[in-house]
């Protein structure tokens, strides 16, 4: 059964004199989210808007920007990062956005620049308070926060000379094992100071193999998914196995988010359904659907399930049962101001 919360008026991210006085429409599409727990979700999007869900109600948060937020990640409810920017801004040195939440206030952090140019950011992953990675939306050069400042990190020529297109995302098992992935089916592994191109599926000016989601609980349990349903699993020796479940470019198959309760219970969020993999090869795939409006465009996870967001609603997917068997499906829909 779907249960809806009451809506609230939205003021975050909008300047004085230009704020919505009605609860509808909300008018800002969400692009990124991160969950500090089952009852603590941060979600951000256009207009610099960030909303926070406390398990019962949505609360708008005050932000110092109107730039679009594309991704979020955090270490705790008192240390959350949001990145994004404005790809079409008139000032090349003011295209990037980096925000940090300290439990009370969102503060804008100075982004790095290359010859006066900054770039909108599409992904962020926090490993520690002094170890955070983010990915510009164009190119193959990530940026890193060392606890003092953000800086571009040059990928060694032995690896960068083989890369094509752009990186899309970043995730990590630990500070010593960070993974970067993107177009052409490329996966780069940074193990300490050693960089390795572990996978590259395509070559050329056009790529249909865009990797965009990661779940990385252990080195031999790294899963990366892409735009047409493809999922790759890392083996202990650094090779990657295609799980062979791609279904085509469709909202029912694209992998927007990956989360697992164990190596034998992995969930893939697509545009209009959730799939469960049982960890075998080839995996047994179970489909779960829930009627709703629109499509999911992204997700976040906590220890008990998934938050799945789209333009008009955020749903919570909680699998019940044990031993990798899904006994029931619970989906709670939390209506956001739109």
């Amino acid at each position: 059964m779907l249960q809806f919360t009451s809506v609230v008026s939205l003021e975050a991210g909008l300047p004085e004199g230009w704020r919505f006085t009605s609860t509808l429409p909300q008018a800002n599409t969400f692009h990124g989210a991160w969950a500090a727990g089952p009852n603590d979700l941060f979600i951000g999007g256009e207009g610099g808007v960030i909303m926070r869900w406390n398990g019962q109600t949505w609360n708008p948060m005050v932000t110092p920007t109107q730039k679009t937020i594309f991704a979020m990640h955090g270490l705790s409810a008192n240390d959350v990062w949001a990145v994004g920017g404005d790809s079409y801004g008139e000032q090349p040195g003011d295209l990037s956005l980096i925000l940090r939440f300290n439990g009370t206030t969102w503060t804008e952090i100075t982004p790095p620049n290359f010859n006066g140019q900054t770039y909108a950011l599409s992904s962020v992953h926090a490993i520690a308070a002094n170890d955070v990675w983010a990915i510009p939306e164009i190119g193959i050069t990530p940026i890193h926060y060392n606890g003092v400042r953000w800086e571009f990190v040059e990928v060694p020529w032995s690896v960068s000379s083989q890369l094509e297109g752009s990186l899309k995302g970043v995730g990590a098992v630990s500070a010593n094992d960070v993974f970067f992935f993107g177009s052409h089916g490329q996966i780069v592994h940074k193990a300490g100071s050693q960089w390795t191109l572990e996978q590259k599926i395509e070559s050329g000016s056009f790529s249909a193999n865009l990797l965009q989601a990661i779940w990385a609980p252990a080195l031999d349990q790294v899963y990366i998914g892409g735009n047409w349903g493809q999922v790759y699993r890392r083996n202990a020796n650094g090779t990657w196995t295609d799980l062979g479940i791609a279904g085509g470019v469709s909202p029912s198959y694209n992998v927007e988010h990956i989360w697992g309760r164990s190596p034998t219970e992995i969930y893939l969020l697509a545009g209009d359904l959730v799939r469960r993999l049982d960890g075998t090869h080839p995996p047994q795939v179970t489909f779960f659907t829930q009627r709703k409006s629109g499509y999911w465009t992204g997700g976040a996870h906590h220890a008990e399930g998934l938050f799945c967001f789209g333009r008009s609603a955020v749903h919570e997917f909680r699998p019940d049962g044990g031993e990798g068997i899904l006994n029931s499906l619970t989906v709670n829909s939390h209506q956001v101001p739109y």
Side-chain angles (χ1 to χ4, degrees):
M1 179 178 179
L2 298 182
Q3 296 180 339
F4 294 91
T5 67
S6 59
V7 295
V8 297
S9 61
L10 179 63
E11 297 185 352
L14 299 175
E16 293 288 348
W18 291 95
R19 295 182 174 180
F20 291 103
T21 57
S22 171
T23 56
L24 297 175
Q26 193 264 349
N28 292 280
T29 300
F30 293 114
H31 297 286
W34 181 75
N39 297 313
D40 196 358
L41 173 69
F42 297 82
I43 187 167
E46 295 175 0
V49 169
I50 296 178
M51 304 289 292
R52 190 173 185 180
W53 170 254
N54 64 11
Q56 301 208 351
T57 60
W58 286 100
N59 298 290
M61 305 187 79
V62 176
T63 66
T65 184
Q66 295 178 63
K67 295 177 184 175
T68 299
I69 294 165
F70 288 121
M72 305 182 78
H73 196 256
L75 298 169
S76 71
N78 296 321
D79 194 355
V80 185
W81 293 88
V83 302
D86 181 3
S87 303
Y88 304 102
E90 296 181 357
Q91 302 298 324
D94 191 31
L95 303 182
S96 183
L97 172 67
I98 301 176
L99 302 177
R100 189 176 190 179
F101 182 65
N102 64 4
T104 304
T105 305
W106 284 98
T107 302
E108 188 163 1
I109 307 298
T110 302
N113 73 80
F114 182 76
N115 291 333
Q117 174 80 50
T118 63
Y119 301 87
L121 304 172
S122 62
S123 179
V124 63
H125 187 89
I127 302 170
N130 62 349
D131 190 1
V132 186
W133 291 90
I135 304 296
E137 65 175 356
I138 298 175
I140 57 172
T141 305
I143 66 172
H144 180 256
Y145 179 71
N146 61 11
V148 178
R149 65 181 62 87
W150 284 88
E151 297 176 325
F152 283 95
V153 177
E154 184 176 355
V155 179
W157 174 251
S158 60
V159 172
S160 64
S161 61
Q162 303 178 66
L163 299 179
E164 298 179 76
S166 295
L167 296 176
K168 173 68 174 178
V170 57
V173 175
S174 67
N176 291 320
D177 289 293
V178 185
F179 292 90
F180 307 89
F181 49 92
S183 66
H184 296 74
Q186 300 170 137
I187 301 174
V188 177
H189 179 201
K190 182 181 182 295
S193 61
Q194 181 68 39
W195 295 74
T196 304
L197 176 61
E198 292 191 343
Q199 176 178 280
K200 182 179 179 182
I201 301 297
E202 299 175 337
S203 186
S205 59
F206 176 79
S207 171
N209 195 325
L210 176 63
L211 304 182
Q212 56 192 27
I214 186 172
W215 179 57
L219 268 181
D220 60 348
Q221 296 175 33
V222 182
Y223 293 81
I224 294 181
N227 61 325
W228 49 273
Q230 69 276 38
V231 178
Y232 302 103
R233 181 180 62 204
R234 190 179 190 273
N235 305 309
N237 62 1
T239 61
W240 290 80
T241 297
D242 185 345
L243 298 187
I245 61 172
V249 182
S250 163
S252 296
Y253 295 102
N254 60 332
V255 181
E256 300 288 356
H257 194 79
I258 307 175
W259 165 72
R261 297 210 294 189
S262 74
T264 59
E265 192 180 356
I266 301 158
Y267 296 88
L268 308 177
L269 172 65
D272 59 1
L273 55 81
V274 175
R275 292 178 289 169
R276 186 191 70 193
L277 312 183
D278 70 351
T280 61
H281 181 64
Q284 295 296 311
V285 183
T286 305
F287 291 79
F288 303 95
T289 61
Q290 175 66 37
R291 188 173 182 178
K292 56 182 173 39
S293 62
Y295 290 108
W296 290 319
T297 57
H301 63 267
H302 53 81
E304 301 173 23
L306 281 168
F307 287 110
C308 320
F309 65 85
R311 293 189 64 194
S312 59
V314 180
H315 295 79
E316 185 178 19
F317 169 84
R318 291 201 186 194
D320 296 325
E323 303 299 325
I325 299 173
L326 192 62
N327 295 319
S328 64
L329 175 68
T330 301
V331 179
N332 299 318
S333 179
H334 310 310
Q335 183 177 341
V336 296
Y338 181 81

